PDB file of all heavy atoms in Angstrom:
ATOM      1  N   GLU A  82     -47.201  25.558  46.069  1.00 93.00           N
ATOM      2  CA  GLU A  82     -46.591  26.724  45.427  1.00 93.00           C
ATOM      3  C   GLU A  82     -47.605  27.852  45.357  1.00 93.00           C
ATOM      4  O   GLU A  82     -48.795  27.615  45.173  1.00 93.00           O
ATOM      5  CB  GLU A  82     -46.158  26.383  43.998  1.00 93.00           C
ATOM      6  CG  GLU A  82     -44.930  25.533  43.904  1.00 93.00           C
ATOM      7  CD  GLU A  82     -44.559  25.256  42.458  1.00 93.00           C
ATOM      8  OE1 GLU A  82     -45.255  24.444  41.819  1.00 93.00           O
ATOM      9  OE2 GLU A  82     -43.590  25.854  41.969  1.00 93.00           O
ATOM     10  N   VAL A  83     -47.099  29.065  45.479  1.00 95.00           N
ATOM     11  CA  VAL A  83     -47.934  30.260  45.396  1.00 95.00           C
ATOM     12  C   VAL A  83     -47.577  31.005  44.108  1.00 95.00           C
ATOM     13  O   VAL A  83     -46.400  31.141  43.771  1.00 95.00           O
ATOM     14  CB  VAL A  83     -47.686  31.165  46.628  1.00 95.00           C
ATOM     15  CG1 VAL A  83     -48.250  32.550  46.422  1.00 95.00           C
ATOM     16  CG2 VAL A  83     -48.281  30.525  47.870  1.00 95.00           C
ATOM     17  N   SER A  84     -48.606  31.472  43.412  1.00 94.00           N
ATOM     18  CA  SER A  84     -48.407  32.196  42.150  1.00 94.00           C
ATOM     19  C   SER A  84     -49.156  33.524  42.197  1.00 94.00           C
ATOM     20  O   SER A  84     -50.327  33.565  42.576  1.00 94.00           O
ATOM     21  CB  SER A  84     -48.939  31.341  40.989  1.00 94.00           C
ATOM     22  OG  SER A  84     -48.948  32.063  39.786  1.00 94.00           O
ATOM     23  N   VAL A  85     -48.475  34.596  41.809  1.00 96.00           N
ATOM     24  CA  VAL A  85     -49.118  35.906  41.646  1.00 96.00           C
ATOM     25  C   VAL A  85     -48.600  36.497  40.340  1.00 96.00           C
ATOM     26  O   VAL A  85     -47.386  36.595  40.142  1.00 96.00           O
ATOM     27  CB  VAL A  85     -48.818  36.865  42.821  1.00 96.00           C
ATOM     28  CG1 VAL A  85     -49.509  38.207  42.609  1.00 96.00           C
ATOM     29  CG2 VAL A  85     -49.256  36.261  44.156  1.00 96.00           C
ATOM     30  N   ASP A  92     -44.966  36.728  36.124  1.00 94.00           N
ATOM     31  CA  ASP A  92     -44.806  36.564  37.566  1.00 94.00           C
ATOM     32  C   ASP A  92     -44.428  37.879  38.240  1.00 94.00           C
ATOM     33  O   ASP A  92     -43.577  38.616  37.745  1.00 94.00           O
ATOM     34  CB  ASP A  92     -43.737  35.508  37.859  1.00 94.00           C
ATOM     35  CG  ASP A  92     -44.189  34.114  37.448  1.00 94.00           C
ATOM     36  OD1 ASP A  92     -45.269  33.698  37.897  1.00 94.00           O
ATOM     37  OD2 ASP A  92     -43.475  33.460  36.664  1.00 94.00           O
ATOM     38  N   LEU A  93     -45.062  38.138  39.404  1.00 96.00           N
ATOM     39  CA  LEU A  93     -44.841  39.405  40.113  1.00 96.00           C
ATOM     40  C   LEU A  93     -44.266  39.228  41.521  1.00 96.00           C
ATOM     41  O   LEU A  93     -43.971  40.205  42.179  1.00 96.00           O
ATOM     42  CB  LEU A  93     -46.173  40.172  40.218  1.00 96.00           C
ATOM     43  CG  LEU A  93     -46.865  40.523  38.906  1.00 96.00           C
ATOM     44  CD1 LEU A  93     -48.214  41.175  39.188  1.00 96.00           C
ATOM     45  CD2 LEU A  93     -45.997  41.449  38.059  1.00 96.00           C
ATOM     46  N   LEU A  94     -44.108  37.986  41.965  1.00 96.00           N
ATOM     47  CA  LEU A  94     -43.689  37.758  43.347  1.00 96.00           C
ATOM     48  C   LEU A  94     -42.339  38.384  43.679  1.00 96.00           C
ATOM     49  O   LEU A  94     -42.105  38.768  44.819  1.00 96.00           O
ATOM     50  CB  LEU A  94     -43.642  36.256  43.642  1.00 96.00           C
ATOM     51  CG  LEU A  94     -45.002  35.591  43.854  1.00 96.00           C
ATOM     52  CD1 LEU A  94     -44.834  34.087  44.002  1.00 96.00           C
ATOM     53  CD2 LEU A  94     -45.716  36.175  45.059  1.00 96.00           C
ATOM     54  N   SER A  95     -41.468  38.496  42.685  1.00 94.00           N
ATOM     55  CA  SER A  95     -40.126  39.035  42.953  1.00 94.00           C
ATOM     56  C   SER A  95     -40.179  40.485  43.441  1.00 94.00           C
ATOM     57  O   SER A  95     -39.206  40.994  43.976  1.00 94.00           O
ATOM     58  CB  SER A  95     -39.261  38.955  41.697  1.00 94.00           C
ATOM     59  OG  SER A  95     -39.835  39.720  40.658  1.00 94.00           O
ATOM     60  N   GLN A  96     -41.328  41.139  43.287  1.00 93.00           N
ATOM     61  CA  GLN A  96     -41.456  42.527  43.740  1.00 93.00           C
ATOM     62  C   GLN A  96     -41.580  42.638  45.253  1.00 93.00           C
ATOM     63  O   GLN A  96     -41.339  43.704  45.810  1.00 93.00           O
ATOM     64  CB  GLN A  96     -42.662  43.185  43.065  1.00 93.00           C
ATOM     65  CG  GLN A  96     -42.493  43.259  41.567  1.00 93.00           C
ATOM     66  CD  GLN A  96     -43.577  44.066  40.896  1.00 93.00           C
ATOM     67  OE1 GLN A  96     -44.256  44.863  41.526  1.00 93.00           O
ATOM     68  NE2 GLN A  96     -43.732  43.874  39.602  1.00 93.00           N
ATOM     69  N   ILE A  97     -41.975  41.522  45.919  1.00 94.00           N
ATOM     70  CA  ILE A  97     -42.130  41.603  47.375  1.00 94.00           C
ATOM     71  C   ILE A  97     -41.535  40.416  48.130  1.00 94.00           C
ATOM     72  O   ILE A  97     -41.377  40.483  49.345  1.00 94.00           O
ATOM     73  CB  ILE A  97     -43.617  41.760  47.778  1.00 94.00           C
ATOM     74  CG1 ILE A  97     -44.437  40.605  47.231  1.00 94.00           C
ATOM     75  CG2 ILE A  97     -44.190  43.092  47.366  1.00 94.00           C
ATOM     76  CD1 ILE A  97     -45.780  40.467  47.898  1.00 94.00           C
ATOM     77  N   VAL A  98     -41.232  39.341  47.423  1.00 94.00           N
ATOM     78  CA  VAL A  98     -40.680  38.143  48.071  1.00 94.00           C
ATOM     79  C   VAL A  98     -39.182  38.070  47.761  1.00 94.00           C
ATOM     80  O   VAL A  98     -38.781  38.264  46.616  1.00 94.00           O
ATOM     81  CB  VAL A  98     -41.395  36.871  47.549  1.00 94.00           C
ATOM     82  CG1 VAL A  98     -40.757  35.607  48.124  1.00 94.00           C
ATOM     83  CG2 VAL A  98     -42.880  36.915  47.900  1.00 94.00           C
ATOM     84  N   PRO A  99     -38.340  37.787  48.778  1.00 94.00           N
ATOM     85  CA  PRO A  99     -36.895  37.686  48.530  1.00 94.00           C
ATOM     86  C   PRO A  99     -36.591  36.669  47.422  1.00 94.00           C
ATOM     87  O   PRO A  99     -37.231  35.619  47.337  1.00 94.00           O
ATOM     88  CB  PRO A  99     -36.338  37.216  49.876  1.00 94.00           C
ATOM     89  CG  PRO A  99     -37.349  37.662  50.875  1.00 94.00           C
ATOM     90  CD  PRO A  99     -38.678  37.590  50.193  1.00 94.00           C
ATOM     91  N   LYS A 100     -35.610  36.999  46.609  1.00 92.00           N
ATOM     92  CA  LYS A 100     -35.239  36.184  45.451  1.00 92.00           C
ATOM     93  C   LYS A 100     -34.994  34.720  45.799  1.00 92.00           C
ATOM     94  O   LYS A 100     -35.389  33.806  45.065  1.00 92.00           O
ATOM     95  CB  LYS A 100     -33.982  36.798  44.819  1.00 92.00           C
ATOM     96  CG  LYS A 100     -33.583  36.203  43.494  1.00 92.00           C
ATOM     97  CD  LYS A 100     -32.362  36.940  42.953  1.00 92.00           C
ATOM     98  CE  LYS A 100     -31.903  36.326  41.650  1.00 92.00           C
ATOM     99  NZ  LYS A 100     -30.714  37.010  41.121  1.00 92.00           N
ATOM    100  N   GLU A 101     -34.363  34.486  46.943  1.00 94.00           N
ATOM    101  CA  GLU A 101     -34.032  33.112  47.317  1.00 94.00           C
ATOM    102  C   GLU A 101     -35.265  32.271  47.685  1.00 94.00           C
ATOM    103  O   GLU A 101     -35.185  31.045  47.792  1.00 94.00           O
ATOM    104  CB  GLU A 101     -33.023  33.084  48.476  1.00 94.00           C
ATOM    105  CG  GLU A 101     -33.490  33.710  49.765  1.00 94.00           C
ATOM    106  CD  GLU A 101     -33.218  35.221  49.872  1.00 94.00           C
ATOM    107  OE1 GLU A 101     -32.918  35.848  48.836  1.00 94.00           O
ATOM    108  OE2 GLU A 101     -33.296  35.735  50.993  1.00 94.00           O
ATOM    109  N   LEU A 102     -36.405  32.925  47.859  1.00 93.00           N
ATOM    110  CA  LEU A 102     -37.643  32.209  48.180  1.00 93.00           C
ATOM    111  C   LEU A 102     -38.527  31.985  46.950  1.00 93.00           C
ATOM    112  O   LEU A 102     -39.653  31.509  47.071  1.00 93.00           O
ATOM    113  CB  LEU A 102     -38.430  32.966  49.254  1.00 93.00           C
ATOM    114  CG  LEU A 102     -37.739  33.089  50.618  1.00 93.00           C
ATOM    115  CD1 LEU A 102     -38.596  33.863  51.590  1.00 93.00           C
ATOM    116  CD2 LEU A 102     -37.396  31.711  51.185  1.00 93.00           C
ATOM    117  N   ILE A 103     -38.008  32.328  45.775  1.00 93.00           N
ATOM    118  CA  ILE A 103     -38.748  32.125  44.528  1.00 93.00           C
ATOM    119  C   ILE A 103     -38.057  31.022  43.737  1.00 93.00           C
ATOM    120  O   ILE A 103     -36.838  31.068  43.536  1.00 93.00           O
ATOM    121  CB  ILE A 103     -38.821  33.432  43.715  1.00 93.00           C
ATOM    122  CG1 ILE A 103     -39.607  34.469  44.519  1.00 93.00           C
ATOM    123  CG2 ILE A 103     -39.484  33.193  42.364  1.00 93.00           C
ATOM    124  CD1 ILE A 103     -39.641  35.832  43.896  1.00 93.00           C
ATOM    125  N   ASN A 104     -38.811  30.030  43.305  1.00 91.00           N
ATOM    126  CA  ASN A 104     -38.212  28.908  42.586  1.00 91.00           C
ATOM    127  C   ASN A 104     -37.998  29.227  41.104  1.00 91.00           C
ATOM    128  O   ASN A 104     -38.334  30.323  40.632  1.00 91.00           O
ATOM    129  CB  ASN A 104     -39.024  27.617  42.786  1.00 91.00           C
ATOM    130  CG  ASN A 104     -40.423  27.683  42.184  1.00 91.00           C
ATOM    131  OD1 ASN A 104     -40.726  28.499  41.320  1.00 91.00           O
ATOM    132  ND2 ASN A 104     -41.289  26.803  42.654  1.00 91.00           N
ATOM    133  N   LYS A 105     -37.462  28.280  40.371  1.00 88.00           N
ATOM    134  CA  LYS A 105     -37.120  28.517  38.965  1.00 88.00           C
ATOM    135  C   LYS A 105     -38.351  28.748  38.093  1.00 88.00           C
ATOM    136  O   LYS A 105     -38.236  29.211  36.963  1.00 88.00           O
ATOM    137  CB  LYS A 105     -36.309  27.339  38.416  1.00 88.00           C
ATOM    138  CG  LYS A 105     -37.053  26.018  38.399  1.00 88.00           C
ATOM    139  CD  LYS A 105     -36.157  24.903  37.901  1.00 88.00           C
ATOM    140  CE  LYS A 105     -36.893  23.573  37.911  1.00 88.00           C
ATOM    141  NZ  LYS A 105     -36.041  22.471  37.495  1.00 88.00           N
ATOM    142  N   HIS A 106     -39.534  28.454  38.627  1.00 86.00           N
ATOM    143  CA  HIS A 106     -40.770  28.664  37.876  1.00 86.00           C
ATOM    144  C   HIS A 106     -41.382  30.043  38.172  1.00 86.00           C
ATOM    145  O   HIS A 106     -42.453  30.369  37.659  1.00 86.00           O
ATOM    146  CB  HIS A 106     -41.785  27.574  38.214  1.00 86.00           C
ATOM    147  CG  HIS A 106     -41.236  26.191  38.049  1.00 86.00           C
ATOM    148  ND1 HIS A 106     -40.972  25.641  36.811  1.00 86.00           N
ATOM    149  CD2 HIS A 106     -40.879  25.259  38.963  1.00 86.00           C
ATOM    150  CE1 HIS A 106     -40.476  24.422  36.980  1.00 86.00           C
ATOM    151  NE2 HIS A 106     -40.400  24.174  38.271  1.00 86.00           N
ATOM    152  N   GLY A 107     -40.721  30.817  39.038  1.00 91.00           N
ATOM    153  CA  GLY A 107     -41.234  32.138  39.391  1.00 91.00           C
ATOM    154  C   GLY A 107     -42.275  32.093  40.493  1.00 91.00           C
ATOM    155  O   GLY A 107     -42.981  33.074  40.739  1.00 91.00           O
ATOM    156  N   LYS A 108     -42.366  30.953  41.177  1.00 93.00           N
ATOM    157  CA  LYS A 108     -43.362  30.762  42.232  1.00 93.00           C
ATOM    158  C   LYS A 108     -42.673  30.674  43.595  1.00 93.00           C
ATOM    159  O   LYS A 108     -41.473  30.450  43.693  1.00 93.00           O
ATOM    160  CB  LYS A 108     -44.173  29.484  41.985  1.00 93.00           C
ATOM    161  CG  LYS A 108     -44.692  29.310  40.558  1.00 93.00           C
ATOM    162  CD  LYS A 108     -45.509  30.477  40.052  1.00 93.00           C
ATOM    163  CE  LYS A 108     -45.952  30.283  38.616  1.00 93.00           C
ATOM    164  NZ  LYS A 108     -46.562  31.487  38.057  1.00 93.00           N
ATOM    165  N   HIS A 109     -43.471  30.832  44.646  1.00 94.00           N
ATOM    166  CA  HIS A 109     -42.965  30.730  46.010  1.00 94.00           C
ATOM    167  C   HIS A 109     -43.394  29.382  46.568  1.00 94.00           C
ATOM    168  O   HIS A 109     -44.587  29.089  46.676  1.00 94.00           O
ATOM    169  CB  HIS A 109     -43.532  31.871  46.853  1.00 94.00           C
ATOM    170  CG  HIS A 109     -43.203  31.785  48.305  1.00 94.00           C
ATOM    171  ND1 HIS A 109     -41.922  31.604  48.773  1.00 94.00           N
ATOM    172  CD2 HIS A 109     -43.994  31.851  49.407  1.00 94.00           C
ATOM    173  CE1 HIS A 109     -41.942  31.575  50.104  1.00 94.00           C
ATOM    174  NE2 HIS A 109     -43.187  31.715  50.507  1.00 94.00           N
ATOM    175  N   LEU A 110     -42.407  28.523  46.887  1.00 93.00           N
ATOM    176  CA  LEU A 110     -42.682  27.202  47.436  1.00 93.00           C
ATOM    177  C   LEU A 110     -42.764  27.301  48.955  1.00 93.00           C
ATOM    178  O   LEU A 110     -41.835  27.774  49.601  1.00 93.00           O
ATOM    179  CB  LEU A 110     -41.572  26.220  47.029  1.00 93.00           C
ATOM    180  CG  LEU A 110     -41.739  24.773  47.484  1.00 93.00           C
ATOM    181  CD1 LEU A 110     -42.981  24.142  46.856  1.00 93.00           C
ATOM    182  CD2 LEU A 110     -40.492  23.965  47.116  1.00 93.00           C
ATOM    183  N   LEU A 111     -43.897  26.866  49.507  1.00 93.00           N
ATOM    184  CA  LEU A 111     -44.113  26.959  50.950  1.00 93.00           C
ATOM    185  C   LEU A 111     -43.414  25.817  51.688  1.00 93.00           C
ATOM    186  O   LEU A 111     -43.158  24.757  51.110  1.00 93.00           O
ATOM    187  CB  LEU A 111     -45.614  26.910  51.265  1.00 93.00           C
ATOM    188  CG  LEU A 111     -46.467  28.017  50.653  1.00 93.00           C
ATOM    189  CD1 LEU A 111     -47.892  27.913  51.176  1.00 93.00           C
ATOM    190  CD2 LEU A 111     -45.909  29.391  50.942  1.00 93.00           C
ATOM    191  N   PHE A 127     -50.132  38.444  49.245  1.00 97.00           N
ATOM    192  CA  PHE A 127     -49.104  38.943  48.328  1.00 97.00           C
ATOM    193  C   PHE A 127     -49.740  39.782  47.215  1.00 97.00           C
ATOM    194  O   PHE A 127     -49.211  40.820  46.821  1.00 97.00           O
ATOM    195  CB  PHE A 127     -48.331  37.783  47.711  1.00 97.00           C
ATOM    196  CG  PHE A 127     -47.394  37.066  48.643  1.00 97.00           C
ATOM    197  CD1 PHE A 127     -46.980  35.768  48.371  1.00 97.00           C
ATOM    198  CD2 PHE A 127     -46.892  37.685  49.787  1.00 97.00           C
ATOM    199  CE1 PHE A 127     -46.096  35.100  49.210  1.00 97.00           C
ATOM    200  CE2 PHE A 127     -46.012  37.026  50.636  1.00 97.00           C
ATOM    201  CZ  PHE A 127     -45.610  35.727  50.352  1.00 97.00           C
ATOM    202  N   ILE A 131     -48.855  43.641  46.345  1.00 97.00           N
ATOM    203  CA  ILE A 131     -48.369  44.032  45.011  1.00 97.00           C
ATOM    204  C   ILE A 131     -49.320  45.037  44.367  1.00 97.00           C
ATOM    205  O   ILE A 131     -48.882  46.017  43.763  1.00 97.00           O
ATOM    206  CB  ILE A 131     -48.184  42.787  44.115  1.00 97.00           C
ATOM    207  CG1 ILE A 131     -47.024  41.927  44.654  1.00 97.00           C
ATOM    208  CG2 ILE A 131     -47.921  43.189  42.666  1.00 97.00           C
ATOM    209  CD1 ILE A 131     -46.922  40.543  44.033  1.00 97.00           C
TER     210      ILE A 131
END
Side-chain angles (χ1 to χ4, degrees):
E82 285 181 286
V83 166
S84 172
V85 180
D92 292 306
L93 301 175
L94 284 175
S95 61
Q96 297 188 20
I97 57 163
V98 175
K100 189 178 178 181
E101 62 272 15
L102 296 179
I103 297 174
N104 65 20
K105 63 182 179 183
H106 307 289
K108 313 305 178 189
H109 174 51
L110 182 63
L111 300 186
F127 288 158
I131 292 168

